[in-house]
Amino acid sequence: MAIKGKLNYKGIDLPEAYINVSKIQWTQKMDVVYSKDKDGKITQEPIKITTTEYQCNVYGDENTRKQAPDQVLVSISGRMELSEKKKDGGLLEQVYKNLMNGENFKDWKKC
């Protein structure tokens, strides 16, 4: 899995730039959410929070990634909270969605 799209890197237009996730680390912690029910009683619900940090490599194109994986133009990194809802997909899919929801990669496509 990866994403592909147009990128201007240091003044050079790359119409088929390619990004793949190279590293993912995650941590989990338990927390509590407090709420008030309709009778005014305060309740607490334990929740699990999963924080994910990721690193991605950017290549000029997919062929460069396959033929010369050490030819990384730049590495990018990010941090996000992971959803546990099945509809949101697995860990890797959520990282790519997070990238594509950002301003820089909103027009990129999965490949």
Side-chain angles (χ1 to χ4, degrees):
M1 181 180 276
I3 59 174
K4 189 186 299 188
K6 184 177 178 181
L7 178 71
N8 184 296
Y9 179 71
K10 295 185 178 185
I12 300 170
D13 286 326
L14 303 169
E16 296 283 323
Y18 185 87
I19 295 178
N20 81 311
V21 175
S22 59
K23 182 178 180 181
I24 297 177
Q25 291 181 306
W26 53 272
T27 57
Q28 289 183 329
K29 70 177 184 175
M30 295 301 290
D31 205 347
V32 177
V33 174
Y34 295 94
S35 59
K36 195 181 280 190
D37 65 16
K38 63 182 178 182
D39 299 325
K41 182 180 172 187
I42 295 176
T43 61
Q44 61 182 11
E45 178 183 349
I47 60 168
K48 182 170 48 173
I49 300 172
T50 304
T51 302
T52 304
E53 294 181 1
Y54 57 87
Q55 183 175 333
C56 304
N57 291 330
V58 180
Y59 298 91
D61 57 31
E62 185 175 1
N63 192 47
T64 301
R65 164 65 178 98
K66 289 178 180 176
Q67 302 297 322
D70 58 332
Q71 297 295 316
V72 176
L73 294 175
V74 66
S75 289
I76 57 174
S77 59
R79 181 184 189 120
M80 60 181 273
E81 283 191 14
L82 182 66
S83 169
E84 292 190 14
K85 298 175 184 171
K86 288 196 182 285
K87 70 175 181 65
D88 292 332
L91 176 64
L92 191 57
E93 187 173 345
Q94 287 186 52
V95 169
Y96 283 113
K97 283 180 183 178
N98 186 62
L99 282 168
M100 292 168 41
N101 285 337
E103 186 64 30
N104 293 330
F105 306 110
K106 66 181 180 184
D107 297 327
W108 287 48
K109 305 290 182 223
K110 288 185 201 176
C111 56

